[in-house]
Amino acid sequence: MSKKEDSGGKKGSHQTELYAEVPATCLPIVYSPEYNITFMGLEKLHPFDAGKWGKVIHFLKEEQFITDENIVPAREASEADLLVVHTARYLNRLKAGKLAMDRGWAINVGGGFHHCSSDKGGGFCAYADITLAIKFLFERVEGVARATIIDLDAHQGNGHERDFLEDRRVYIMDVYNRHIYPGDGYAKRAIKRKVELDWGTEDMEYLQKVELHSEGAMNEIRPDIIIYNAGTDILDGDPLGGLAISPQGIVKRDEIVFRAARRRGIPILMVTSGGYQKKTARIIADSILNLHRQGLIGEEAVECAGPSHMPLMMSKSVSSTAMFNAI
């Protein structure tokens, strides 16, 4: 059954325009061309590929999986929306996803800025989109009382960990290279299932741990929604990740997580997070196509109950340079 709220949300919640009606003919894949950042060519000097999200969409169109007509355009957040998480001194951009609750799955081609907490950015992360997605769901959607974050970016997700440190409604599983940024010992207290990896971890060990702990996390606590942070900076050769996972390993990793969630009937929202090589866009697209081939996403993978409402993205108030803050 579709869980919907009007723009007013639950009693006491603020008015918002983020819950746009989404026709059932649209796939729950969210994108805006504004995700792709340019700053007078300076973005070419930075390891972060600021145009990778547009490339992912291009590859998916080439494979005829999506069209401009069947993807969901991002929407702009108001100051009131941003204040759900951020202090008045720290307003930037917003990304969230109620669409997963209605369709069983959703992918935001972008997002996953897991180093940003409610009052502080860091590590290329200008806004706390994971925190905001979960808080919007808690605030506005009946029946959403528990959430699980599965963070498989190469870096520890200290932003959402700090935000949910004392919140028992949120279960966090984090798999990361123990030797790299941010090394936030305080934030680690929020992790319920912590998997610390060493330099150069390869496919076999990595995939075994992902499967073991994803299954364990979902068996330990059954959430109402999973936020899956699917960073591709685990790829072999990534200048910041320090791991050695193959492209095929990344595709298999995403399949493992989606399969575990779909088998249990738990809605899942995937965000794409870090990845600092030009080829990561192709890998993300290949992974999405594999999820479709496996029957884990797509129109046939869900039962649509008509138009849905969702909080999407994003405020234009942040400068393009915010994405290029150094770690």
Side-chain angles (χ1 to χ4, degrees):
M1 179 179 292
S2 177
K3 301 177 181 179
K4 299 186 179 76
E5 289 291 322
D6 62 23
S7 62
K10 296 178 182 177
K11 184 177 180 180
S13 62
H14 73 280
Q15 295 291 319
T16 182
E17 298 299 322
L18 292 176
Y19 286 175
E21 288 195 359
V22 177
T25 53
C26 286
L27 290 171
I29 294 178
V30 182
Y31 171 72
S32 168
E34 293 190 32
Y35 290 0
N36 305 295
I37 298 167
T38 59
F39 189 67
M40 298 183 292
L42 293 179
E43 69 279 357
K44 296 177 182 178
L45 304 177
H46 199 280
F48 192 93
D49 182 1
K52 74 175 181 180
W53 299 292
K55 295 173 187 175
V56 173
I57 293 297
H58 172 73
F59 292 140
L60 293 177
K61 287 179 178 177
E62 279 192 333
E63 298 294 333
Q64 300 182 341
F65 178 53
I66 62 171
T67 66
D68 287 332
E69 289 70 37
N70 70 4
I71 60 176
V72 181
R75 294 176 67 85
E76 185 172 354
S78 69
E79 182 172 328
D81 294 323
L82 291 165
L83 284 168
V84 170
V85 170
H86 291 291
T87 64
R89 293 177 297 174
Y90 196 82
L91 296 183
N92 359 75
R93 301 193 304 177
L94 165 64
K95 153 91 196 79
K98 179 180 177 291
L99 191 54
M101 295 301 302
D102 292 324
R103 304 290 185 88
W105 67 276
I107 297 172
N108 178 21
V109 182
F113 300 118
H114 63 160
H115 297 308
C116 184
S117 59
S118 61
D119 62 353
K120 184 180 180 182
F124 313 140
C125 301
Y127 65 103
D129 62 327
I130 292 174
T131 299
L132 194 49
I134 292 171
K135 289 199 172 185
F136 257 81
L137 290 167
F138 285 164
E139 175 187 300
R140 311 196 73 86
V141 183
E142 290 294 336
V144 180
R146 292 185 295 188
T148 289
I149 300 170
I150 296 181
D151 195 332
L152 301 188
D153 187 274
H155 300 81
Q156 176 200 351
N158 62 320
H160 59 73
E161 288 161 9
R162 283 177 171 264
D163 285 338
F164 293 119
L165 189 62
E166 305 297 334
D167 195 332
R168 295 186 177 180
R169 298 173 298 174
V170 180
Y171 182 102
I172 298 174
M173 168 182 156
D174 201 347
V175 181
Y176 56 89
N177 184 340
R178 72 175 76 216
H179 304 291
I180 60 176
Y181 177 89
D184 190 337
Y186 179 79
K188 288 180 183 180
R189 296 164 49 202
I191 304 173
K192 302 298 192 298
R193 189 171 285 261
K194 179 173 61 178
V195 183
E196 295 188 321
L197 305 174
D198 287 314
W199 294 108
T201 298
E202 297 181 347
D203 284 21
M204 182 176 293
E205 177 187 353
Y206 181 77
L207 293 174
Q208 286 176 345
K209 288 182 175 179
V210 166
E211 184 163 20
L212 173 66
H213 290 286
S214 295
E215 294 283 347
M218 294 182 210
N219 288 339
E220 188 172 341
I221 297 292
R222 183 181 178 87
D224 301 305
I225 183 75
I226 293 170
I227 309 296
Y228 172 38
N229 200 34
T232 47
D233 53 0
I234 64 171
L235 181 64
D236 188 19
D238 189 280
L240 300 180
L243 303 177
I245 309 305
S246 70
Q248 296 77 16
I250 292 174
V251 170
K252 184 63 178 178
R253 174 201 66 175
D254 295 348
E255 180 184 329
I256 287 170
V257 176
F258 265 77
R259 193 173 297 282
R262 301 314 304 277
R263 188 188 310 123
R264 293 168 172 81
I266 304 171
I268 181 169
L269 166 65
M270 172 177 159
V271 292
T272 58
S273 200
Y276 308 98
Q277 299 183 76
K278 298 297 183 183
K279 54 189 172 182
T280 59
R282 178 74 255 183
I283 296 169
I284 294 168
D286 286 344
S287 180
I288 293 171
L289 294 168
N290 178 64
L291 294 173
H292 181 241
R293 285 193 296 269
Q294 298 297 326
L296 298 170
I297 67 172
E299 294 177 359
E300 69 280 5
V302 295
E303 293 183 4
C304 298
S308 61
H309 298 72
M310 61 184 295
L312 299 174
M313 320 196 209
M314 61 190 181
S315 166
K316 298 173 184 175
S317 59
V318 68
S319 164
S320 295
T321 57
M323 287 296 296
F324 295 95
N325 292 329
I327 284 180

